Amino acid sequence: MKRIVKSPLKIKKIKLLRFGRDFKPDQEVILRDYLAIERTRLANERTLLSYIRSSLYLLLGAIALFQLKEFANFEYLALTALIFSVIFFIIGVYRFTILKKSLKRVYYQSEEKEDSKNE
């Protein structure tokens, strides 16, 4: 019979990859990868537009709640909706710019590698 020796658990810290920041392409970008980057760019734009749309809906709701004079308690709800509207807009623009910079960096790094191989 073989004896199984249990070793103490070793806990490793897992470094989570943040898309685009930690990724470094090791090869040149081929057509399939280029099209994937384009799809990601378009999805990023759609996501930005959805953040803006949600922000505008919250803004319209806040304006409507501010106009209800009979209900004084709705002013707090209107103020909350207004604050969330601004927060949604800022988060959307921030995430859009971060992903856009990451995609540019990944694409241009791969282009530099391709150029250096051709020389």
Side-chain angles (χ1 to χ4, degrees):
M1 265 198 208
K2 288 186 178 180
R3 191 170 179 206
I4 300 174
V5 178
K6 292 184 180 179
S7 63
L9 279 176
K10 293 181 181 178
I11 300 174
K12 295 180 181 179
K13 286 188 177 181
I14 299 173
K15 183 180 177 186
L16 296 176
L17 286 177
R18 294 179 296 188
F19 176 77
R21 296 180 194 160
D22 298 331
F23 176 75
K24 293 180 177 57
D26 55 352
Q27 299 174 2
E28 60 191 49
V29 174
I30 58 176
L31 179 62
R32 179 187 63 217
D33 297 335
Y34 175 76
L35 292 175
I37 290 171
E38 286 299 315
R39 279 192 305 272
T40 306
R41 184 177 298 150
L42 291 172
N44 191 26
E45 290 175 5
R46 281 193 309 271
T47 304
L48 174 67
L49 291 175
S50 69
Y51 272 106
I52 292 172
R53 181 183 63 229
S54 298
S55 175
L56 288 175
Y57 284 151
L58 282 170
L59 180 65
L60 288 174
I63 290 170
L65 289 172
F66 271 127
Q67 291 182 352
L68 293 174
K69 300 295 181 189
E70 298 95 27
F71 304 103
N73 295 336
F74 282 169
E75 287 182 8
Y76 298 114
L77 185 61
L79 187 60
T80 304
L82 187 63
I83 290 170
F84 275 112
S85 171
V86 172
I87 290 172
F88 273 26
F89 183 75
I90 291 171
I91 289 173
V93 170
Y94 174 74
R95 290 186 60 179
F96 175 78
T97 54
I98 291 293
L99 187 61
K100 187 175 181 179
K101 286 178 185 177
S102 297
L103 287 174
K104 278 185 179 179
R105 185 178 56 81
V106 168
Y107 181 73
Y108 289 132
Q109 279 181 355
S110 66
E111 288 294 317
E112 289 172 2
K113 286 186 178 189
E114 183 179 326
D115 290 341
S116 66
K117 285 182 182 179
N118 289 337
E119 289 179 356

